[in-house]
Each structure stands twice: as C-alpha cells, then as structure tokens.
C-alpha cells in the first residue's frame, strides 16, 4: 500500500516549472498542471502532468511506490521532453518533509550514463516542491528542474 505521506498528494495541483538546460542558466519558466491518483486500489501513486517547454506542449508521468520490502521509494518516470523514448527508474529514501530518489539515464551508446536526483518536499498550506538535478559523470550536480505546486483539490 502507498504510505500516508504519499496519499496526501492525491488530487489536482497547479504551479510553475523552471528548467535549466545548462548550469546556472534558466532556460524556461512556465505553468504546469498535475494530478496525483492512486493506481490498482492504492498500491501505487500516479503523477500525470501537463505543461510547456520553450512554448511547446509537454507532458509526463511518474509511477511512484514505497517498497516496504526494501524500505525505499521507487519512481518510474517518462516525459516527452526530458526522457524522449526512455524510462528513468530511480530509488531512494525518506528525508525531512519528503523523500529523495536517484537514477541514471543513457546519453549515448558507449557513453558514461548521467545520474538524475529528484526530491519531493512537502510544505505548509498544501504546497509541494519537486526538484531535480543532473549528476555529471564526475559527480557534479547541476540543477535541472524545479516545480512548485499548490494543491487545488483532493
């Protein structure tokens, strides 16, 4: 079953999404709308979102789980801008006011994969901040995405 900390996410959300395509240079800031819903009687949580990137529509989904056998959060992420036709699988642990997961993705055949870290931070007044960083092969983390959501309804 999805833990209570994730169940508070259920509902519709609206906010802003900031994207950095190179270190320290904000590439895009646009509105985003998302919905978190339970899947298969509450075994998983689905985050489906819609927004834009550089004026073009984009969308994505995350399937979120808390694996009680390994005591870790797991996310499978697809996105028509960032992930193209791949799936990013990330795992991680609880943190103060949320959780953090880390995965990796391919940048080309024969190339060293890059890492991707995402944190979910729950705030006061039905707010949620989702932040992601690229992790370069040398371990350097570079901010990539920051979503600030406000819950509309459950």
């Amino acid at each position: 079953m999805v833990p209570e900390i994730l169940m508070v996410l259920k509902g519709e959300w609206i906010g802003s999404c900031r994207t950095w395509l190179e270190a320290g240079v904000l590439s895009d800031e646009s509105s985003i709308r998302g919905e978190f819903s339970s899947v298969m009687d509450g075994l998983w949580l689905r985050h489906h979102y819609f927004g834009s990137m550089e004026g073009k529509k984009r969308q994505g989904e995350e399937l979120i789980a808390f694996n009680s056998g390994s005591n870790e959060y797991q996310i499978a992420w697809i996105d028509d801008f960032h992930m193209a036709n791949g799936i990013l699988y990330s795992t991680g642990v609880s943190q103060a006011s949320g959780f953090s997961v880390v995965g990796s993705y391919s940048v080309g055949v024969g190339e060293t994969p890059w890492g991707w870290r995402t944190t979910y931070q729950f705030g006061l007044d039905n707010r949620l901040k989702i932040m992601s960083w690229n992790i370069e092969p040398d371990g350097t983390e570079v901010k990539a995405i920051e979503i600030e959501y406000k819950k509309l309804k459950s």
Side-chain angles (χ1 to χ4, degrees), residues 82-100:
H82 295 94
M83 290 308 301
N85 59 355
I87 299 172
L88 178 66
Y89 179 72
S90 302
T91 62
V93 296
S94 296
Q95 288 187 319
S97 302
F99 62 95
S100 179

Side-chain angles (χ1 to χ4, degrees), residues 69-123:
S70 61
N71 201 32
E72 67 183 0
Y73 289 88
Q74 300 172 333
I75 295 180
W77 177 46
I78 57 175
D79 180 287
D80 62 2
F81 177 80
H82 295 94
M83 290 308 301
N85 59 355
I87 299 172
L88 178 66
Y89 179 72
S90 302
T91 62
V93 296
S94 296
Q95 288 187 319
S97 302
F99 62 95
S100 179
V101 294
V102 177
S104 64
Y105 63 95
S106 175
V107 294
V109 176
E111 299 292 325
T112 301
W114 282 42
W116 186 262
R117 180 170 67 89
T118 301
T119 61
Y120 271 66
Q121 293 178 333
F122 307 104

